[in-house]
Amino acid sequence: MALERTLSIIKPDATRRNLTGAINALLEAAGLRIIAQKRLRLSEARAKEFYAVHKERLFYSDLVKFMTSGPVVVQVLEGEDAVLLNRKVMGATDPALAVEGTIRKTFAESIEANSVHGSDSPDNAKIEIEFFFSQDEIVG
Ligand code: ADP
Ligand code: MG
């Protein structure tokens, strides 16, 4: 077990439905600490850059449109094995396949509007945290 940090994003479908607090409660109940958090609106350029790994996928342009459609809340989460733990709390990408009690099973509207993002590896977590936060905004 290792103390890790991961990047989380509460997506526009969730901020629209006023679910920031409900999602944060599930993260905290799982043992993740929110050590940085801010609400912002992604520009098209920033959303494209963030999701650049998916640029060849058919859903890429719709995903960028969705992620810029309203405010997001970006967060740094800290905890033991935070990257994997957060992925477990989030649930599967497709809410129809997500386990009961996960954020996506509970709140997601669709495979696209699935309420949360979470880094998929410690290396990507570091890159994604630096994409949104400066060191002095993270208070562990
Ligand atoms: P995850 O967010 O679980 O890591 P991916 O990295 O594969 O999933 O995809 C990034 C995001 O792209 C998903 O969270 C979802 O919003 C969207 N997405 C993934 N697959 C699809 C799909 N088949 N159709 C529409 N949107 C999708
Ligand atoms: Mg992913």
Side-chain angles (χ1 to χ4, degrees):
M1 300 263 279
L3 193 66
E4 277 179 358
R5 292 177 175 182
T6 190
L7 184 88
S8 166
I9 306 178
I10 300 177
K11 294 184 178 182
D13 67 288
T15 60
R16 178 171 46 77
R17 288 174 290 150
N18 210 21
L19 293 171
T20 299
I23 289 171
N24 283 351
L26 290 178
L27 296 172
E28 291 183 339
L32 292 160
R33 304 181 76 85
I34 302 161
I35 61 168
Q37 175 169 265
K38 58 190 173 190
R39 180 171 162 115
L40 54 90
R41 183 84 179 245
L42 281 168
S43 66
E44 188 184 332
R46 289 277 285 169
K48 280 183 168 164
E49 192 186 346
F50 185 78
Y51 279 117
V53 305
H54 293 308
K55 66 176 185 294
E56 308 304 334
R57 309 289 291 273
L58 286 174
F59 60 77
Y60 179 65
S61 62
D62 280 346
L63 176 61
V64 168
K65 215 177 284 174
F66 164 62
M67 289 299 289
T68 57
S69 68
V72 297
V73 177
V74 295
Q75 315 173 299
V76 180
L77 308 179
E78 186 176 78
E80 291 293 331
D81 292 324
V83 172
L84 256 181
L85 175 57
N86 183 44
R87 295 293 305 195
K88 194 172 156 211
V89 176
M90 289 164 60
T93 308
D94 181 351
L97 304 176
V99 169
E100 208 62 49
T102 60
I103 293 170
R104 284 168 165 172
K105 179 70 176 188
T106 308
F107 297 121
E109 294 181 322
S110 66
I111 191 168
E112 175 184 78
N114 59 5
S115 303
V116 280
H117 166 86
S119 308
D120 62 9
S121 69
D123 286 349
N124 283 337
K126 191 170 182 301
I127 293 166
E128 292 181 356
I129 289 169
E130 283 172 5
F131 187 87
F132 285 110
F133 292 96
S134 61
Q135 276 311 313
D136 66 342
E137 291 177 307
I138 304 169
V139 185

